[in-house]
Amino acid sequence: MILLFLFLTLIIVLSYPVLAWKMFKALKTKDKPKLYRLSLILLILILIPGFYWKLLPGSYLFWNPIEKAEERSYNIELTGFEFNAGDLIYEYETERAFNGDGYSIWIYKIDDKTAKYFKNPKEEFFTKHPRTELRNHWEPEFWKETPFDKQEQKFLDFAHSTLDELEFELEDLLNEKGNYYAYEYYMHSYGVGNIDFYILCPNRKLIVKINHNT
């Protein structure tokens, strides 16, 4: 979907010089009705990408509730519990290739209510999640209690990142009692090719989300 809007935005931007030239001709010939029509079209074509990419003042007020609702829906698929993540305390992202290949890691705070729930989650947390629609063609590995099972090391190696500027590493979270981890993955012929890796830490009130595509 994002690639589609990038393509449409490119087409719209490329149309600006054409419209500007036609407006110049209309101005030169004093064709005011045509000049007004072209001006309106140009204004609309400027507003559409500005609104979608949140460049226009006030556009965030429209998109924020939608994004919050989408996040809650995604977290239900991820954990079986509806919540919104809090402050983003750590982020690292590489540039993405045209096909989405790249690496991202985000660490968010979770609120007291969410942390309390995950100290004793429902049984379906361990038997049905994560099962996200976005990754319905990937293999899920449902939530497990820490410490991390070393037999799954190849998945952690593929998802691993050093956490600069933080007082802990992923290994600390995965070896700390009371936490959980899960992942969804896709295998290539040579090994793990894509992964979404998650760590939930009720005591620290953190959730880690990692994506690595190759």
Side-chain angles (χ1 to χ4, degrees):
M1 183 62 71
I2 291 178
L3 290 177
L4 175 60
F5 275 99
L6 281 172
F7 177 73
L8 292 177
T9 300
L10 178 61
I11 296 299
I12 290 173
V13 170
L14 291 176
S15 70
Y16 293 165
V18 177
L19 283 170
W21 173 248
K22 290 184 177 182
M23 288 172 63
F24 174 75
K25 290 176 65 177
L27 180 64
K28 194 173 182 180
T29 59
K30 299 182 180 180
D31 189 344
K32 290 185 177 180
K34 185 176 182 180
L35 179 61
Y36 293 151
R37 288 196 304 271
L38 292 172
S39 299
L40 180 61
I41 293 172
L42 180 60
L43 178 63
I44 293 172
L45 292 181
I46 290 174
L47 291 176
I48 289 174
F51 184 74
Y52 178 79
W53 297 111
K54 304 175 194 172
L55 300 175
L56 291 178
S59 56
Y60 178 79
L61 296 176
F62 174 83
W63 288 111
N64 187 53
I66 295 175
E67 291 173 350
K68 290 293 184 182
E70 289 177 342
E71 183 187 17
R72 289 193 299 270
S73 177
Y74 178 77
N75 284 333
I76 289 175
E77 294 180 342
L78 184 62
T79 68
F81 183 73
E82 183 178 7
F83 69 96
N84 280 117
D87 293 337
L88 178 65
I89 66 168
Y90 184 83
E91 179 181 27
Y92 172 73
E93 295 189 72
T94 66
E95 291 187 9
R96 293 280 175 166
F98 72 95
N99 60 353
D101 286 356
Y103 183 91
S104 300
I105 177 171
W106 307 273
I107 303 179
Y108 297 92
K109 297 290 290 184
I110 56 176
D111 61 28
D112 293 340
K113 177 183 176 182
T114 303
K116 182 179 179 180
Y117 172 83
F118 285 115
K119 288 182 179 180
N120 186 28
K122 293 181 179 179
E123 183 61 28
E124 65 180 22
F125 176 66
F126 302 102
T127 60
K128 295 182 180 180
H129 301 282
R131 180 73 78 174
T132 61
E133 183 178 352
L134 182 65
R135 308 302 190 199
N136 59 13
H137 59 296
W138 292 16
E139 293 294 325
E141 192 66 33
F142 300 142
W143 289 97
K144 302 176 184 178
E145 295 180 351
T146 52
F148 181 72
D149 187 343
K150 295 300 183 182
Q151 294 183 359
E152 301 171 277
Q153 189 65 42
K154 66 180 180 181
F155 297 102
L156 176 58
D157 290 342
F158 190 75
H160 190 269
S161 175
T162 299
L163 305 182
D164 299 330
E165 303 175 4
L166 292 181
E167 297 178 354
F168 57 84
E169 295 291 342
L170 294 180
E171 291 86 352
D172 299 327
L173 304 180
L174 290 169
N175 291 321
E176 185 177 80
K177 191 174 181 180
N179 297 337
Y180 310 97
Y181 68 95
Y183 49 93
E184 295 175 287
Y185 65 94
Y186 185 84
M187 299 295 290
H188 291 332
S189 58
Y190 53 81
V192 185
N194 303 316
I195 198 167
D196 285 343
F197 197 98
Y198 310 100
I199 307 172
L200 242 171
C201 310
N203 292 325
R204 293 178 183 258
K205 298 180 183 178
L206 300 176
I207 184 168
V208 180
K209 298 182 178 182
I210 299 170
N211 169 257
H212 188 188
N213 291 347
T214 59

Coordinates of all heavy atoms in Angstrom, one line a residue, residues 58-96:
G58 N -2.5 20.1 11.0 CA -3.7 19.5 11.3 C -4.0 18.1 10.8 O -4.9 17.4 11.3
S59 N -3.2 17.6 9.9 CA -3.5 16.3 9.3 C -3.2 15.2 10.4 O -3.8 14.2 10.3 CB -2.6 16.1 8.1 OG -1.2 16.2 8.4
Y60 N -2.3 15.5 11.3 CA -2.0 14.5 12.4 C -3.3 14.3 13.2 O -3.5 13.1 13.7 CB -0.9 15.0 13.2 CG -0.5 14.1 14.4 CD1 0.2 13.0 14.2 CD2 -1.0 14.4 15.7 CE1 0.5 12.2 15.3 CE2 -0.7 13.6 16.8 CZ 0.1 12.5 16.5 OH 0.4 11.6 17.6
L61 N -4.1 15.3 13.4 CA -5.3 15.1 14.2 C -6.3 14.2 13.6 O -7.0 13.5 14.3 CB -6.0 16.5 14.4 CG -5.2 17.6 15.2 CD1 -5.9 18.9 15.2 CD2 -4.9 17.1 16.6
F62 N -6.3 14.1 12.3 CA -7.1 13.1 11.6 C -6.5 11.7 11.6 O -7.2 10.7 11.9 CB -7.3 13.6 10.1 CG -8.0 12.6 9.3 CD1 -9.4 12.5 9.3 CD2 -7.3 11.6 8.5 CE1 -10.1 11.6 8.5 CE2 -8.0 10.7 7.7 CZ -9.4 10.7 7.7
W63 N -5.2 11.6 11.4 CA -4.6 10.3 11.3 C -4.3 9.6 12.6 O -4.3 8.4 12.7 CB -3.3 10.4 10.5 CG -3.5 10.6 9.0 CD1 -3.2 11.7 8.3 CD2 -4.0 9.7 8.1 NE1 -3.5 11.6 7.0 CE2 -4.0 10.4 6.8 CE3 -4.5 8.4 8.1 CZ2 -4.5 9.8 5.7 CZ3 -5.0 7.8 7.0 CH2 -5.0 8.5 5.8
N64 N -4.1 10.4 13.7 CA -3.7 9.8 15.0 C -4.8 8.8 15.5 O -4.4 7.7 15.9 CB -3.5 10.9 16.0 CG -2.9 10.4 17.3 OD1 -1.9 9.7 17.3 ND2 -3.6 10.7 18.4
P65 N -6.1 9.1 15.5 CA -7.0 8.2 16.0 C -7.1 6.9 15.2 O -7.3 5.8 15.7 CB -8.4 8.9 16.0 CG -8.0 10.4 16.0 CD -6.7 10.4 15.3
I66 N -6.9 7.0 13.9 CA -6.9 5.9 13.0 C -5.7 5.0 13.3 O -5.8 3.8 13.3 CB -6.9 6.4 11.5 CG1 -8.2 7.1 11.2 CG2 -6.7 5.2 10.6 CD1 -8.3 7.7 9.8
E67 N -4.6 5.6 13.4 CA -3.3 4.8 13.7 C -3.4 4.2 15.0 O -2.9 3.0 15.2 CB -2.1 5.8 13.6 CG -1.8 6.3 12.2 CD -0.7 7.3 12.2 OE1 -0.3 7.8 13.2 OE2 -0.3 7.6 11.0
K68 N -4.0 4.8 16.0 CA -4.2 4.2 17.4 C -5.1 3.0 17.3 O -4.8 2.0 17.9 CB -4.7 5.2 18.4 CG -3.8 6.3 18.7 CD -2.6 5.8 19.5 CE -1.7 6.9 20.0 NZ -0.5 6.4 20.8
A69 N -6.2 3.1 16.5 CA -7.1 2.0 16.4 C -6.4 0.8 15.7 O -6.6 -0.3 16.0 CB -8.3 2.4 15.6
E70 N -5.6 1.1 14.6 CA -4.9 0.1 13.9 C -3.9 -0.6 14.8 O -3.7 -1.8 14.7 CB -4.2 0.7 12.7 CG -5.2 1.1 11.6 CD -4.5 1.8 10.4 OE1 -3.3 2.2 10.6 OE2 -5.1 1.9 9.3
E71 N -3.2 0.2 15.7 CA -2.3 -0.4 16.6 C -2.9 -1.3 17.6 O -2.4 -2.4 17.9 CB -1.5 0.7 17.3 CG -0.4 0.2 18.3 CD 0.2 1.3 19.1 OE1 -0.4 2.4 19.3 OE2 1.3 1.0 19.7
R72 N -4.1 -0.9 18.1 CA -4.8 -1.8 19.0 C -5.2 -3.1 18.4 O -5.1 -4.2 19.0 CB -6.0 -1.1 19.6 CG -5.7 0.1 20.6 CD -6.9 0.5 21.3 NE -8.0 1.0 20.4 CZ -8.0 2.3 20.1 NH1 -7.1 3.2 20.5 NH2 -9.0 2.7 19.3
S73 N -5.7 -3.0 17.1 CA -6.1 -4.2 16.4 C -4.9 -5.1 16.2 O -5.0 -6.3 16.3 CB -6.7 -3.8 15.1 OG -7.1 -4.9 14.3
Y74 N -3.8 -4.5 15.8 CA -2.6 -5.3 15.6 C -2.1 -6.0 16.9 O -1.7 -7.1 16.9 CB -1.5 -4.4 15.0 CG -0.2 -5.1 14.8 CD1 0.0 -6.0 13.7 CD2 0.9 -5.0 15.7 CE1 1.2 -6.7 13.5 CE2 2.1 -5.7 15.5 CZ 2.2 -6.5 14.4 OH 3.4 -7.2 14.2
N75 N -2.2 -5.3 18.0 CA -1.7 -5.8 19.2 C -2.6 -7.0 19.7 O -2.2 -7.9 20.4 CB -1.6 -4.7 20.3 CG -0.4 -3.9 20.1 OD1 0.6 -4.3 19.5 ND2 -0.4 -2.6 20.6
I76 N -3.9 -6.9 19.3 CA -4.8 -8.0 19.7 C -4.3 -9.3 18.9 O -4.3 -10.4 19.4 CB -6.3 -7.7 19.3 CG1 -6.8 -6.7 20.3 CG2 -7.1 -8.9 19.3 CD1 -8.2 -6.2 20.0
E77 N -4.0 -9.1 17.6 CA -3.5 -10.2 16.8 C -2.2 -10.7 17.4 O -1.9 -11.9 17.4 CB -3.3 -9.8 15.4 CG -4.5 -9.5 14.6 CD -4.3 -9.0 13.2 OE1 -3.1 -8.7 12.9 OE2 -5.2 -9.1 12.4
L78 N -1.4 -9.8 17.9 CA -0.1 -10.1 18.4 C -0.1 -10.8 19.7 O 0.6 -11.8 20.0 CB 0.7 -8.8 18.5 CG 2.2 -8.9 19.0 CD1 3.0 -9.7 17.9 CD2 2.8 -7.6 19.1
T79 N -1.0 -10.4 20.6 CA -1.0 -10.9 22.0 C -2.3 -11.4 22.5 O -2.4 -12.1 23.6 CB -0.5 -9.8 23.0 OG1 -1.5 -8.8 23.0 CG2 0.8 -9.3 22.5
G80 N -3.4 -11.1 21.9 CA -4.8 -11.4 22.4 C -5.3 -10.4 23.3 O -6.4 -10.5 23.9
F81 N -4.5 -9.3 23.6 CA -4.9 -8.2 24.5 C -4.9 -6.9 23.8 O -3.9 -6.6 23.1 CB -4.0 -8.2 25.7 CG -4.4 -7.2 26.8 CD1 -5.5 -7.4 27.6 CD2 -3.6 -6.1 27.0 CE1 -5.8 -6.5 28.6 CE2 -3.9 -5.1 27.9 CZ -5.0 -5.4 28.8
E82 N -5.9 -6.1 24.0 CA -6.0 -4.8 23.3 C -5.3 -3.7 24.1 O -5.6 -3.5 25.3 CB -7.5 -4.4 23.1 CG -7.7 -3.1 22.4 CD -9.1 -2.8 22.2 OE1 -10.0 -3.5 22.7 OE2 -9.4 -1.8 21.5
F83 N -4.3 -3.1 23.5 CA -3.6 -2.0 24.1 C -2.9 -1.2 23.1 O -2.6 -1.6 22.0 CB -2.6 -2.6 25.2 CG -1.4 -3.3 24.6 CD1 -0.2 -2.6 24.3 CD2 -1.5 -4.6 24.2 CE1 0.9 -3.3 23.8 CE2 -0.4 -5.3 23.7 CZ 0.8 -4.7 23.5
N84 N -2.6 0.0 23.5 CA -1.7 0.9 22.7 C -0.3 1.0 23.4 O -0.3 1.2 24.7 CB -2.3 2.3 22.6 CG -3.3 2.4 21.5 OD1 -4.5 2.7 21.8 ND2 -3.0 2.1 20.2
A85 N 0.7 0.9 22.7 CA 2.0 1.1 23.3 C 2.2 2.6 23.7 O 1.6 3.5 23.1 CB 3.1 0.7 22.3
G86 N 3.1 2.8 24.6 CA 3.4 4.2 25.1 C 4.5 4.8 24.4 O 4.7 4.7 23.2
D87 N 5.4 5.5 25.2 CA 6.5 6.2 24.6 C 7.5 5.3 23.9 O 7.8 4.2 24.4 CB 7.2 7.0 25.7 CG 6.4 8.1 26.3 OD1 5.4 8.6 25.6 OD2 6.7 8.5 27.4
L88 N 8.0 5.7 22.8 CA 9.1 5.0 22.1 C 10.4 5.4 22.7 O 10.8 6.5 22.7 CB 9.1 5.4 20.6 CG 10.2 4.8 19.7 CD1 10.0 3.3 19.6 CD2 10.1 5.5 18.3
I89 N 11.0 4.4 23.4 CA 12.3 4.7 24.1 C 13.5 4.3 23.3 O 14.6 4.8 23.7 CB 12.3 4.1 25.5 CG1 12.3 2.5 25.3 CG2 11.1 4.5 26.3 CD1 12.6 1.8 26.6
Y90 N 13.3 3.5 22.3 CA 14.5 3.2 21.5 C 14.0 2.9 20.0 O 13.0 2.2 19.9 CB 15.2 2.0 22.0 CG 16.5 1.6 21.3 CD1 17.7 2.3 21.5 CD2 16.5 0.6 20.3 CE1 18.9 2.0 20.8 CE2 17.7 0.3 19.6 CZ 18.8 1.0 19.9 OH 20.0 0.7 19.2
E91 N 14.8 3.3 19.1 CA 14.5 3.0 17.7 C 15.8 3.0 16.8 O 16.7 3.8 17.0 CB 13.6 4.1 17.1 CG 13.2 4.0 15.7 CD 12.3 5.1 15.2 OE1 12.4 6.2 15.7 OE2 11.5 4.9 14.2
Y92 N 15.8 2.0 16.0 CA 16.9 1.9 15.0 C 16.3 1.3 13.7 O 15.7 0.3 13.7 CB 18.0 1.0 15.5 CG 19.1 0.8 14.4 CD1 20.0 1.8 14.1 CD2 19.2 -0.5 13.8 CE1 20.9 1.5 13.1 CE2 20.1 -0.7 12.8 CZ 21.0 0.3 12.4 OH 21.9 0.1 11.4
E93 N 16.6 2.0 12.6 CA 16.1 1.5 11.3 C 17.1 1.7 10.2 O 17.7 2.8 10.2 CB 14.8 2.3 10.9 CG 13.6 2.0 11.8 CD 12.3 2.6 11.3 OE1 11.8 2.1 10.3 OE2 11.8 3.6 11.8
T94 N 17.3 0.7 9.4 CA 18.1 0.9 8.2 C 17.2 1.4 7.1 O 16.0 1.4 7.2 CB 18.8 -0.4 7.8 OG1 17.7 -1.3 7.4 CG2 19.5 -1.0 9.0
E95 N 17.9 1.9 6.0 CA 17.1 2.2 4.9 C 16.5 0.9 4.3 O 17.1 -0.1 4.3 CB 18.0 2.9 3.8 CG 18.5 4.3 4.2 CD 19.2 5.0 3.1 OE1 19.2 4.4 2.0 OE2 19.8 6.0 3.4
R96 N 15.3 1.1 3.7 CA 14.6 -0.1 3.1 C 14.8 -0.1 1.6 O 14.8 0.9 1.0 CB 13.2 0.0 3.5 CG 12.8 -0.2 4.9 CD 12.9 -1.6 5.3 NE 12.7 -1.8 6.8 CZ 12.4 -3.0 7.3 NH1 12.3 -4.1 6.6 NH2 12.3 -3.1 8.7

